[in-house]
Amino acid sequence: WGAAAAAADAAAYPGDGLRVDSAEFRPSWGADGSDRPPPPPPPPGSPLRRSASDWTAYGFGGAPQPLLPLGGAARQRGRRAALSSSPPGPRDAVDYAFDHSKAKTGEDSRTTLMVRNIPNKYTQRAVLEEIDVKFKKTYDFFYLPIDFKNKCNVGYAFINLCSSTDALRLFDEFNGRRWTCFRSGKVCAITYARIQGKQAMIQRFQNSSLLSESLEVQPRLFVSSGPDKGRPEQFPGGAAVPAAAPAPAA
């Protein structure tokens, strides 16, 4: 983000104690910058967003949003509500690391995962299409955060699987694997999310102005069980799911 922007943010909000130049919290762009160009620096003298409220914090190692000038208050309030907590530091990494042996034995039964290193050109639909090749009807929540200024995703997503067994299968399939589209060299990495479960995610987003956006950028819900398992369902307070919206096929 540049030394000047980092210094200005630290001076404006000294209580944050966050290092915006830390490799731990850099955006997951390609090494050559091909996935997404860096945003322009904020205009001189313009107020900066509080960086802690711009960093996704549902899972370990979230990448930051750009430090943008304040504006569009309604949208910013909604995005802050959805992404408000500060990301855990490295000392908390063990709490979110996916322990394969514990997941396999059932000792760790968490089901909500953070999927990292997603190429920034991927849309919500593109990510779900890649997941659905082997995991249709196995998840009931999905959210791919979007950078509205640059109109692309920020490099990670959150998905809640219907069972810990499905979470283990998805980890085995995607963790350490390259993504198939856009000739990206990014390698998928999966950890547990901090907020766990479909209902907890609904509570987290239910008052967010993101729910006034299109379905392509909203958090998405799917039926968790029964004969309609996997069918898209309306997020409480969100946009209606069109009747023609296809449910994942069996």
Side-chain angles (χ1 to χ4, degrees), residues 21-198:
D21 62 338
S22 168
E24 181 63 46
F25 300 114
R26 285 177 189 156
S28 54
W29 302 335
D32 60 357
S34 59
D35 279 337
R36 174 180 167 197
S46 65
L48 299 175
R49 283 188 184 174
R50 185 178 181 87
S51 57
S53 64
D54 276 340
W55 292 4
T56 296
Y58 294 124
F60 171 72
Q65 298 270 350
L67 299 176
L68 302 175
L70 291 171
R75 172 172 288 177
Q76 290 186 28
R77 282 196 299 271
R79 292 174 72 188
R80 288 193 186 103
L83 311 175
S84 59
S85 303
S86 300
R91 67 180 179 274
D92 298 315
V94 66
D95 295 333
Y96 303 102
F98 195 103
D99 188 316
H100 192 277
S101 61
K102 290 184 178 180
K104 189 173 182 178
T105 61
E107 182 179 349
D108 195 330
S109 59
R110 285 178 286 183
T111 59
T112 308
L113 306 177
M114 180 179 186
V115 182
R116 304 170 62 192
N117 299 335
I118 299 173
N120 300 98
K121 294 179 182 179
Y122 267 69
T123 62
Q124 177 192 107
R125 185 186 302 273
V127 177
L128 288 179
E129 284 179 351
E130 194 153 331
I131 290 174
D132 281 350
V133 171
K134 293 186 178 181
F135 293 92
K136 292 175 182 178
K137 297 188 178 184
T138 65
Y139 55 89
D140 56 16
F141 173 88
F142 180 82
Y143 176 50
L144 176 70
I146 297 296
D147 179 339
F148 287 93
K149 180 178 178 65
N150 291 288
K151 298 181 180 179
C152 57
N153 78 69
V154 297
Y156 43 82
F158 301 94
I159 185 169
N160 184 64
L161 284 301
C162 296
S163 72
S164 58
T165 300
D166 290 327
L168 176 61
R169 288 179 52 238
L170 190 140
F171 177 87
D172 286 341
E173 178 68 24
F174 281 92
N175 191 65
R177 195 195 82 174
R178 293 183 184 275
W179 296 90
T180 60
C181 296
F182 306 115
R183 298 180 181 177
S184 174
K186 289 186 176 180
V187 176
C188 178
I190 294 179
T191 62
Y192 286 116
R194 184 173 65 86
I195 295 179
Q196 286 289 315
K198 180 180 181 180

Side-chain angles (χ1 to χ4, degrees), residues 172-235:
D172 286 341
E173 178 68 24
F174 281 92
N175 191 65
R177 195 195 82 174
R178 293 183 184 275
W179 296 90
T180 60
C181 296
F182 306 115
R183 298 180 181 177
S184 174
K186 289 186 176 180
V187 176
C188 178
I190 294 179
T191 62
Y192 286 116
R194 184 173 65 86
I195 295 179
Q196 286 289 315
K198 180 180 181 180
Q199 292 306 315
M201 288 296 192
I202 290 174
Q203 292 177 7
R204 187 62 170 170
F205 283 98
Q206 63 184 356
N207 295 318
S208 171
S209 66
L210 281 169
L211 300 182
S212 66
E213 303 288 345
S214 70
L215 287 174
E216 282 297 316
V217 299
Q218 282 188 26
R220 298 300 307 276
L221 296 180
F222 303 86
V223 176
S224 304
S225 61
D228 291 329
K229 184 179 180 180
R231 179 178 57 80
E233 61 182 1
Q234 183 176 357
F235 204 104

